[in-house]
């Protein structure tokens, strides 16, 4: 089964700010993995990852 593509949309300014601050707040000295960065952004945008 393949996923149905979701139409693209532009982030709002508030969503962009939330994502930016989530990335900015990461402890880069600890060398976060990509999953940590993605999870922080998704949480900031109130988006659930696929199950």
């Amino acid at each position: 089964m393949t996923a149905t593509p979701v139409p693209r949309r532009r982030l709002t300014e508030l969503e962009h700010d939330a994502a930016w601050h989530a990335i900015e707040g990461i402890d880069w000295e600890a060398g976060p993995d990509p999953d940590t960065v993605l999870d922080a952004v998704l949480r900031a945008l109130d988006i659930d990852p696929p199950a």
Side-chain angles (χ1 to χ4, degrees):
M1 174 170 39
T2 60
T4 304
V6 177
R8 290 178 59 113
R9 70 175 185 87
R10 188 171 304 276
L11 289 178
T12 65
E13 280 190 48
L14 290 175
E15 290 170 328
H16 183 268
D17 286 346
W20 181 260
H21 290 295
I23 292 169
E24 214 175 29
I26 291 174
D27 179 11
W28 292 101
E29 294 296 320
D33 62 292
D35 284 336
T36 300
V37 176
L38 179 58
D39 286 344
V41 171
L42 291 177
R43 272 194 312 276
L45 297 177
D46 199 26
I47 298 173
D48 294 326

